[in-house]
Amino acid sequence: MKTTGIILTGLLALLLVGGAYFLISQNEEDPIIFETDSPFYTAIVKKTVATGSVVPRKEVEVKPQVSGLISKLHVEAGDMVKVGDLIATVRIIPDMVNLNNAENRLERAKIAMKNAKRDFDRNEKLLEEGVIAQATFQEIELSYLNAQQEMQGAQDNLDLIRRGSTKRSGKTANTNIRATISGMVLDVPIEEGNSVIEANTFNDGTTIAIVANMDEMIFEGKVDEAEVGKIKEGMPLLLTIGAIEDIEFPATLEHISPKGLEENGAIQFEIRAAIQLREDQFIRAGYSANADIVLERRDNVLAIKEALLQFKGDSAFVEVERSTQKFDTLYIQTGLADGINIELLTEVDEAIKIKNPNIIISE
């Protein structure tokens, strides 16, 4: 019995020791291991991004000088035209009041012409017979010539109202719409049979075609008021076009609007930049694009990742590894930053390891 009691007591003691060890081991936390990085030399570029689009520098809307119907279109979007090339033909629909007045004027001119011709023929014979003086005949001849001119003017006026041209000149400049610049036809917003309105003092007129010189493109974008004071004309830009991957187009800033416009609660200033085109790449008008404008640049400077920085009040510091996962605080001065890396103005050893408080390797 005594031996059995000793054995049971020993087993109980072993169970108590094992249970205590298990509980203690469960309560122990694994040490936290942080990722570390070292300083490095790099170029830091601070830039701002302007969003906008690529458009032709010279773009013209071709409008008619007469109102009427489009009887024939001679171009379509994508065609190349030169100055004077025929774009469309307009068939004039005359105003009935003006047409009636022109017809009445012509009839009156014909009557006056017949009467003047009879007087001219009769007095011409009298002049040959010596009955009337030369001075008297000259007045009659002048009346006849004026009647001829009036009838011709009335006929021309009627032709212009009816067709937009005269038989005498044979020209149809008003009804034949021609290109005013050389370039590519970007759009033809009308179709044959559509009515068009002439451009005049009270109306812009109907756009028949839009023609642009695609050999000279510009970037038009907008910059926030917080950045506009840091840029100036002549700055280089790098243009990224959304529709063209992996290609950057150099550009030069040539205009900054002196007046800002409010958009979504922020003041935006319009900018314009000349693009250096590539011969092997065709840029279509209206492509959306982003322009990177370099504000400041530092080449070959010692830097760290911005994620390593920590702050206490107005001071910046990093935690430098003294021994394995043991860190000391080091206050530093910083310079230019680009959103990823930041310049170190404080002299430090490149070999130091700096704690990244945001990345934990294991716990």
Side-chain angles (χ1 to χ4, degrees), residues 150-224:
E150 174 61 24
M151 188 180 73
Q152 186 61 59
Q155 182 65 58
D156 290 345
N157 182 60
L158 181 60
D159 291 340
L160 287 172
I161 292 175
R162 282 177 173 172
R163 301 190 305 270
S165 63
T166 63
K167 293 179 180 179
R168 180 168 52 173
S169 66
K171 297 180 180 179
T172 56
N174 287 340
T175 55
N176 285 346
I177 312 305
R178 300 182 182 275
T180 54
I181 65 169
S182 299
M184 177 179 288
V185 179
L186 299 184
D187 187 24
V188 182
I190 60 170
E191 296 180 358
E192 291 182 3
N194 285 162
S195 298
V196 294
I197 300 173
E198 65 182 270
N200 53 49
T201 307
F202 305 101
N203 196 298
D204 289 340
T206 305
T207 299
I208 293 180
I210 300 174
V211 182
N213 180 6
M214 300 297 286
D215 294 330
E216 191 174 3
M217 307 292 285
I218 61 173
F219 168 78
E220 289 185 348
K222 294 183 180 178
V223 174
D224 189 83

